[in-house]
Amino acid sequence: DEKDPIESRQFYNMEWMPYEGVFIGFIAVFHIAADRLDVQLAFSRDNRNWVRAGNRDVFVPNGPTPGDYDYGMVWNILQHPIVAGDEMLIYYNGASGSHGAWGDKGTPPAVQGGVIALAKLRLDGFVSVNASSGGGALTTKKMTMEGDRLVVNADASDGAVKVELLDLDGNVIDGFSQADCDVINSDRVRHTVTWSGSDDVGRLKGKVIQLKFHLTNSQLYSFV
């Protein structure tokens, strides 16, 4: 589209998967001038309307040094990453040679290479909402509270994360303000949020609420 440099990119394929109620896609992008392929991330809620995610940054990058097993091409995410504990294992095709290293008659010279490679990602780590040292806030859409506690996947090892709960009208719920929230200041995929030492949000079950995240020098990945 208009955000892509003119005549500089082609899209070869997109593997996709359902994940936590949405759809994640992995687009193989051919950069014509550089004669290399890498992978970008895509996202959809209905498996029909897709957007490219993460500011169109490279999701699985090429190896940085000529001769690396995936220096020339990264493509074909192998269908569905495997969730293993707190990590996601992403297998993909890589090649040390460039796209153009293939011969005119389809004969690949040895320099092309070709491997099955493995990339690792933190659980739910496809994209994150990032805040600088100046801080920022994010308010979610309205949702119905179904559980007894709130668990957050975030890296606040160099900063802080706090969460406050808002009612249907956007007012802070008594006992769940930013001031009441105990600060999160470490890197975990499962932080249990507490307010004044308690993680119990059971009295809000069935109520429509919003979450307001206050972030400082941290990355927020997901919550449940």
Side-chain angles (χ1 to χ4, degrees), residues 33-48:
D35 198 22
R36 301 169 80 188
L37 281 94
D38 55 34
V39 170
Q40 292 183 6
L41 198 64
F43 170 82
S44 175
R45 292 191 181 277
D46 60 6
N47 203 21
R48 294 183 63 85

Side-chain angles (χ1 to χ4, degrees), residues 139-151 163-174 176 195 200-213 223-224:
T139 302
T140 68
K141 67 179 183 180
K142 295 175 182 177
M143 64 190 75
T144 301
M145 175 65 76
E146 296 180 348
D148 296 315
R149 60 179 185 163
L150 175 65
V151 178
V163 190
E164 60 185 349
L165 306 185
L166 312 179
D167 64 17
L168 183 62
D169 298 317
N171 301 310
V172 177
I173 299 173
D174 185 47
F176 297 101
W195 294 265
D200 185 11
V201 295
R203 69 180 173 92
L204 302 178
K205 190 176 293 186
K207 296 184 180 297
V208 177
I209 66 167
Q210 291 175 280
L211 311 180
K212 187 172 184 178
F213 290 91
F223 61 88
V224 63

Side-chain angles (χ1 to χ4, degrees), residues 15-16 18 22 41-42 46 54 58 65 69 74 82 100 110 119 134 137 165 172 194 208 213-214:
E15 302 295 336
W16 65 274
V22 297
L41 198 64
D46 60 6
V58 176
T65 305
Y69 58 83
V74 173
I82 298 169
L165 306 185
V172 177
T194 60
V208 177
F213 290 91
H214 297 271

Side-chain angles (χ1 to χ4, degrees), residues 9-15 25-31 36-42 60 73-77 93:
R9 289 178 179 163
Q10 295 177 0
F11 302 97
Y12 270 36
N13 61 284
M14 186 178 77
E15 302 295 336
F26 307 95
I27 307 172
V29 182
F30 176 39
H31 302 273
R36 301 169 80 188
L37 281 94
D38 55 34
V39 170
Q40 292 183 6
L41 198 64
V60 181
M73 294 193 291
V74 173
W75 83 108
N76 284 357
I77 299 292
N93 290 121

Side-chain angles (χ1 to χ4, degrees), residues 75-79 81-82 89-93 116-119:
W75 83 108
N76 284 357
I77 299 292
L78 300 183
Q79 199 58 45
I82 298 169
L89 308 181
I90 302 172
Y91 291 89
Y92 65 93
N93 290 121
I116 302 298
L118 171 63

Side-chain angles (χ1 to χ4, degrees), residues 115-154:
V115 298
I116 302 298
L118 171 63
K120 294 183 178 181
L121 187 71
R122 72 183 291 142
L123 187 68
D124 297 341
F126 296 106
V127 295
S128 62
V129 173
N130 302 335
S132 66
S133 57
L138 167 70
T139 302
T140 68
K141 67 179 183 180
K142 295 175 182 177
M143 64 190 75
T144 301
M145 175 65 76
E146 296 180 348
D148 296 315
R149 60 179 185 163
L150 175 65
V151 178
V152 172
N153 181 347

